[in-house]
């Protein structure tokens, strides 16, 4: 007989369309676990989220978006995609998979204001490890919650965009930065 999943075995997922493409949001009660952005279709966003949930958390994905927490966050993400300012610092993000140093990097990046950027080296400096620019890049490359942890605001020290793992790559990163600058 198959066991019925308990609340702790379930990840709530909401997949929705924005002006920046399809987003997939995974939450656990009041914590954001994953956010996928910029997908060209509902099916691709849903399929990628299903893979991530299965691989990263080994939990059951349940598509539902009726909790007040999910509705509020989804509405904020839609507003962000329209170019409206949104304060994502009010949302808790899962960090148990991060080391203390990686959590420090995430905390620094979450404080970068809309329309501003920092280099990987500047984030490393503000994190207390001035020689750890490459480590900052690795944390940003593995960011599970872009926009909420605004990795698009972290640039190469040379002034270049660096990388971006969402669909569309650095062109999408440039689009996010333009959106935030009001251009």
């Amino acid at each position: 007989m198959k066991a019925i999943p308990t609340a702790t075995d379930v990840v709530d997922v909401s997949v929705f369309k924005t002006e920046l493409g399809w987003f997939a949001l995974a939450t656990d009660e009041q914590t954001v676990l994953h956010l996928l952005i910029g997908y060209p279709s509902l099916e691709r966003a849903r399929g990628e989220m299903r893979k991530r949930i299965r691989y990263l958390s080994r939990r059951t994905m349940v598509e539902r978006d009726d909790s007040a927490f999910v509705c509020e966050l989804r509405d904020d993400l839609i507003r962000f995609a329209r170019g409206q300012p949104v304060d994502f610092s009010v949302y808790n993000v899962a960090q148990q998979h991060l080391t203390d140093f990686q959590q420090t990097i995430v905390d620094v990046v979450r404080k970068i204001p809309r329309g501003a950027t920092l280099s990987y080296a500047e984030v490393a400096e503000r994190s207390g490890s001035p020689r750890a620019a490459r480590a900052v890049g690795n944390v940003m490359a593995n960011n599970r919650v872009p926009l909420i942890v605004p990795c698009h605001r972290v640039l190469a020290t040379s002034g270049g965009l660096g990388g971006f793992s969402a669909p569309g790559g650095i062109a999408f990163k440039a689009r996010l930065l333009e959106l935030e600058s009001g251009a």
Side-chain angles (χ1 to χ4, degrees):
M1 177 179 259
K2 190 172 183 180
I4 298 173
T6 65
T8 57
D9 295 329
V10 173
V11 174
D12 292 332
V13 172
S14 177
V15 183
F16 52 96
K17 188 169 181 144
T18 75
E19 292 186 31
L20 293 171
W22 287 89
F23 285 20
L25 171 65
T27 61
D28 177 4
E29 298 181 20
Q30 298 291 307
T31 303
V32 184
L33 302 174
H34 299 285
L35 174 62
L36 303 177
I37 61 174
Y39 280 80
S41 70
L42 168 74
E43 295 78 21
R44 293 237 353 247
R46 180 183 287 140
E48 185 60 32
M49 183 59 79
R50 186 171 284 117
K51 281 191 263 183
R52 302 258 178 123
I53 296 300
R54 204 176 302 136
Y55 175 73
L56 296 173
S57 62
R58 309 254 189 256
R59 293 160 77 182
T60 303
M61 179 175 124
V62 175
E63 247 186 272
R64 91 179 129 205
D65 55 5
D66 56 354
S67 78
F69 175 69
V70 170
C71 290
E72 181 181 344
L73 179 51
R74 183 189 60 225
D75 291 347
D76 278 349
L77 289 163
I78 290 169
R79 286 186 24 246
F80 175 89
R82 289 184 185 137
Q84 298 171 5
V86 176
D87 179 10
F88 290 118
S89 69
V90 299
Y91 295 105
N92 293 325
V93 296
Q95 292 192 13
Q96 66 272 16
H97 62 285
L98 300 173
T99 66
D100 290 343
F101 174 66
Q102 291 169 331
Q103 288 178 24
T104 301
I105 291 169
V106 166
D107 292 342
V108 169
V109 171
R110 289 193 80 184
K111 292 176 184 164
I112 303 172
R114 176 186 171 89
T117 59
L118 291 176
S119 70
Y120 296 107
E122 290 169 321
V123 172
E125 177 90 24
R126 291 182 186 194
S127 298
S129 298
R131 295 183 186 192
R134 188 173 299 231
V136 170
N138 287 334
V139 173
M140 296 299 92
N142 293 297
N143 180 15
R144 295 179 182 181
V145 286
L147 305 183
I148 300 168
V149 175
C151 54
H152 62 283
R153 297 178 187 157
V154 183
L155 307 177
T157 302
S158 65
L161 290 177
F164 200 61
S165 57
I170 59 171
F172 192 73
K173 183 175 186 172
R175 185 175 174 196
L176 292 173
L177 292 170
E178 286 175 21
L179 181 74
E180 290 187 335
S181 72

